[in-house]
Amino acid sequence: MRPRPVLLSGSLVALLLAAACERHQPAAQTAAPPPVAVRALAAERIRGPRFQTVAGTIRPFDRAVVSARVAGLVTGADFGLGQIVAAGQTLLTLEADELQARVAHARAVADQADRDARRETQLLAQGAATPEDARAAADRLRAARAILDEAQTLVRYQRVDAPFAGSITRKLIHNGDFAAAGTPLFEIEARVRFRIELAVPEELPALPVGAEVATVMDNLNLRAHVAEVSSAADPVTRTRNVVVEFPPNPLVRSGTFARVLW
């Protein structure tokens, strides 16, 4: 059986439409803000320098680890860390009595060789010796003198002097220690000129030697220049070793942090 259609009167339809319109009527809008003044400008491309900060360490131009050249007992090592020393100043002595005995033996051999050489020369002049005997005696004399020079040089190595003027940064021995040949004794750094050692990432441009760069160190802004550039990059860190030099400045300290605008 088919459903019968429902007939609505016109007044009922009007009431339903009015109710629907009231439900969907938007809320009252707030007052619009005042217009903002806008200034239009044409886009312009500007090329300027781009820098990247590269960290480095300040190092002195002259620094050295002084080691013993002969074996001996350390005496006279009364210097301390940070002490200012002059070039050639004696800082310690290595006692080795056997070196003095070696010099005495070498001198005695050289004296005997000298007498033998003079005697052979006289005999050659008298016809009592051959030229070969005289040459052999002269050769023995030169060999004996060379051995004496070597022994005297080793004795001079007992006194350890500062190789240049600077300050002591590390003291590796003390009085009473025994130092074998090659044992590090102390480290020294010059205090006149410094430089910055960098590890520059390989993706940064390679600046030529002599190029100027800006540096920041200990709140100092100094102009510097590239002094050395490694031709090869480290395969592990992907960096190149670079040395930057700057004018002498009494406020700069060795081993401190520095930044270079690359």
Side-chain angles (χ1 to χ4, degrees):
M1 181 177 181
R2 296 176 61 186
R4 295 181 179 180
V6 180
L7 298 179
L8 299 176
S9 63
S11 59
L12 182 57
V13 173
L15 290 175
L16 293 175
L17 292 175
C21 291
E22 289 179 358
R23 287 197 304 269
H24 293 84
Q25 186 177 1
Q29 297 182 353
T30 58
V36 179
V38 178
R39 182 183 177 188
L41 296 176
E44 181 181 0
R45 177 178 294 181
I46 300 177
R47 291 185 177 273
R50 299 177 60 186
F51 299 102
Q52 180 170 332
T53 301
V54 181
T57 303
I58 300 176
R59 299 292 187 189
F61 268 77
D62 297 320
R63 63 181 186 270
V65 179
V66 179
S67 301
R69 304 183 71 172
V70 296
L73 193 68
V74 176
T75 61
D78 300 324
F79 58 91
L81 292 178
Q83 180 175 333
I84 306 300
V85 297
Q89 178 179 341
T90 300
L91 298 179
L92 60 94
T93 302
L94 299 172
E95 289 187 354
D97 294 339
E98 63 273 16
L99 293 181
Q100 300 293 339
R102 185 173 177 178
V103 169
H105 178 265
R107 182 175 291 111
V109 173
D111 291 343
Q112 180 62 48
D114 181 59
R115 290 192 295 270
D116 293 343
R118 287 200 302 268
R119 184 178 67 254
E120 292 295 334
T121 300
Q122 295 174 355
L123 293 175
L124 179 62
Q126 299 171 1
T130 64
E132 182 62 29
D133 292 336
R135 284 193 297 269
D139 291 341
R140 289 193 295 271
L141 176 59
R142 284 193 295 270
R145 286 175 175 175
I147 294 175
L148 176 60
D149 290 342
E150 179 186 14
Q152 291 175 335
T153 299
L154 293 177
V155 169
R156 289 195 294 269
Y157 289 160
Q158 290 183 265
R159 188 184 67 185
V160 181
D161 303 332
F164 47 79
S167 62
I168 304 299
T169 57
R170 292 184 66 192
K171 183 177 180 180
L172 305 173
I173 44 79
H174 300 279
N175 290 329
D177 291 343
F178 176 82
T183 300
L185 303 174
F186 59 87
E187 293 184 14
I188 183 174
E189 291 186 354
R191 298 166 53 88
V192 180
R193 298 176 60 195
F194 295 91
R195 60 186 189 175
I196 304 176
E197 297 179 357
L198 306 169
V200 179
E202 63 179 2
E203 62 267 16
L204 294 182
L207 297 182
V209 173
E212 289 192 356
V213 292
T215 65
V216 180
M217 60 193 84
D218 286 339
N219 297 323
L220 297 173
N221 298 322
L222 300 177
R223 299 299 301 178
H225 68 276
V226 178
E228 301 176 19
V229 179
S230 175
S231 59
D234 190 303
V236 178
T237 62
R238 299 298 180 185
T239 58
R240 298 187 307 273
N241 292 330
V242 177
V243 174
V244 173
E245 296 181 4
F246 55 90
N249 190 299
L251 301 179
V252 174
R253 296 174 298 169
S254 172
T256 56
F257 176 80
R259 297 190 300 272
V260 177
L261 300 182
W262 197 267

